[in-house]
């Protein structure tokens, strides 16, 4: 008699996750998703009040969560905070900012600010967490919330898109180095979602029309659209997936 192959588990009980930029928006949704899948989640951001409200919401939802103050653009501080957290099995690099401007008008200050958080931040948080994972020898998962702008360009987005393309390169290279340690490294690439980051874009009628015209599924993405992707890639159901990029873009980059 044949026996059926069994689907690997999508559950995350017994895992400890760190999500940066988790006080609101996509990071909060990722933290809630991981908690709903059974993980204990450490929510990181710079501003305490919003962070505590989000931790409270996850606990009220039945999840296990704690806050930690962290500025991802300060590698020295990041190293100390990560060390103090103990074992981390899942990292979600989500903290990110945007200072959109025409390429020929971008200031050095705006360039540095975006690179410091989106690239330098994700790089050195990953490094600190990966060092712990390698030392413990139990493997792990590193996910970065990249963007569809990690695969295509966009008007006024040359710096933002540069950081997201760089995250894709970091991910592939880290996947090669960390694979032998059982650490999987992947990105999730959402299309536009309404958050404080995109408020200005959505309030511009021309840009709103541009977004609507590019999404083949005919609707704007919601926070919930990212939640299944983060649970899947964090779980054993994605055990053979590394160095990959999961587009959650409603078909934007399909053409
Ligand atoms: P958001 O609503 O502005 O939230 C950003 C989060 O990052 C907040 O929790 C913020 O908290 C934190 N943060 C900012 N700078 C930080 C720093 N230096 N250190 C630590 N935390 C910091 O943004 P979002 O729209 O959710 O975007 C989250 C990620 O998804 C970003 O990487 C973004 O590029 C990416 N993404 C967004 C969209 C979209 O349409 N929204 C689409 C594709 C990709 P504090 O200010 O308190 O630190």
């Amino acid at each position: 008699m044949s026996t059926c192959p069994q689907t690997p588990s999508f559950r995350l009980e017994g895992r400890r996750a760190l999500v940066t930029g988790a006080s609101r928006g996509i990071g909060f949704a990722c933290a809630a998703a991981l908690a709903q899948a059974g993980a204990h989640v450490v929510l990181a951001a710079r501003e305490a009040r919003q962070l505590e409200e989000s931790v409270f919401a996850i606990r009220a939802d039945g999840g296990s969560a704690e806050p930690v103050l962290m500025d991802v653009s300060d590698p020295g501080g990041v190293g100390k905070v990560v060390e103090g957290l103990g074992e981390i099995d899942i990292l979600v690099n989500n903290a990110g900012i945007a200072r959109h401007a025409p390429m020929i008008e971008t200031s050095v200050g705006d360039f540095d600010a975006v690179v410091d958080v989106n690239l330098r931040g994700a790089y050195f948080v990953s490094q600190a967490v990966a060092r712990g994972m390698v030392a413990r020898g139990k493997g792990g998962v590193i996910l970065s919330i990249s963007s569809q702008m990690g695969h295509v360009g966009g008007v006024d987005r040359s710096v933002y898109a540069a950081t997201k393309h760089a995250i894709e390169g970091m991910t592939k290279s880290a996947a090669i180095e960390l694979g032998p340690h059982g650490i999987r490294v992947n990105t999730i690439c959402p299309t536009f979602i309404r958050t404080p980051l995109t408020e200005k874009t959505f309030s511009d009628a021309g840009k709103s029309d541009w977004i609507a015209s590019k999404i083949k599924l005919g609707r704007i993405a919601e926070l919930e659209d990212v939640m299944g992707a983060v649970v899947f890639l964090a779980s054993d159901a994605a055990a053979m997936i590394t160095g990959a990029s999961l587009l959650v873009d409603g078909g934007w980059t399909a053409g």
Side-chain angles (χ1 to χ4, degrees):
M1 198 177 81
S2 311
T3 53
C4 284
Q6 296 298 301
T7 309
S9 177
F10 286 75
R11 299 292 305 170
L12 299 172
E13 272 84 9
R15 317 267 170 99
R16 286 171 55 83
L18 168 64
V19 182
T20 68
S23 60
R24 59 173 191 256
I26 294 174
F28 178 43
C30 290
L34 295 171
Q36 286 161 13
H40 173 77
V41 186
V42 183
L43 285 78
R46 294 166 304 169
E47 201 266 307
R49 193 189 51 80
Q50 181 69 62
L51 192 58
E52 275 155 20
E53 275 180 28
S54 298
V55 167
F56 184 79
I58 289 176
R59 288 182 184 156
D61 189 43
S64 174
E66 64 181 287
V68 71
L69 290 177
M70 183 196 286
D71 181 345
V72 301
S73 67
D74 167 21
V78 162
K80 288 194 193 90
V81 173
V82 168
E83 218 169 288
L85 294 177
E87 189 159 331
I88 296 294
D89 306 295
I90 301 161
L91 166 66
V92 182
N93 283 309
N94 165 81
I97 63 168
R99 302 261 178 97
H100 299 317
M103 194 266 179
I104 60 172
E105 291 171 20
T106 300
S107 68
V108 174
D110 281 352
F111 180 98
D112 287 346
V114 175
V115 169
D116 274 359
V117 177
N118 295 12
L119 177 56
R120 208 159 166 265
Y123 192 97
F124 287 104
V125 175
S126 298
Q127 185 189 68
V129 171
R131 280 178 176 160
M133 287 174 173
V134 169
R136 280 188 291 277
K138 286 171 56 189
V141 174
I142 297 175
L143 300 176
S144 295
I145 305 301
S146 171
S147 170
Q148 63 185 17
M149 296 296 165
H151 294 266
V152 295
V155 174
D156 296 345
R157 281 160 174 74
S158 54
V159 180
Y160 183 81
T163 62
K164 296 302 186 178
H165 277 71
I167 288 293
E168 297 297 324
M170 173 188 91
T171 296
K172 289 182 184 126
S173 299
I176 294 167
E177 289 184 29
L178 297 175
H181 298 279
I183 301 168
R184 298 187 293 103
V185 193
N186 293 296
T187 66
I188 294 172
C189 297
T191 184
F192 286 92
I193 298 177
R194 273 196 189 88
T195 67
L197 184 95
T198 50
E199 219 170 79
K200 217 169 128 200
T201 301
F202 277 108
S203 63
D204 176 325
K207 293 221 168 73
S208 259
D209 289 349
W210 169 58
I211 293 169
S213 74
K214 296 285 283 184
I215 299 180
K216 314 300 180 286
L217 291 176
R219 70 166 173 87
I220 301 301
E222 307 283 346
L223 290 175
E224 287 77 1
D225 291 313
V226 178
M227 294 171 79
V230 76
V231 170
F232 167 58
L233 285 176
S235 76
D236 293 346
M240 199 57 186
I241 301 178
T242 197
S245 183
L246 179 52
L247 288 152
V248 184
D249 70 349
W252 181 299
T253 58

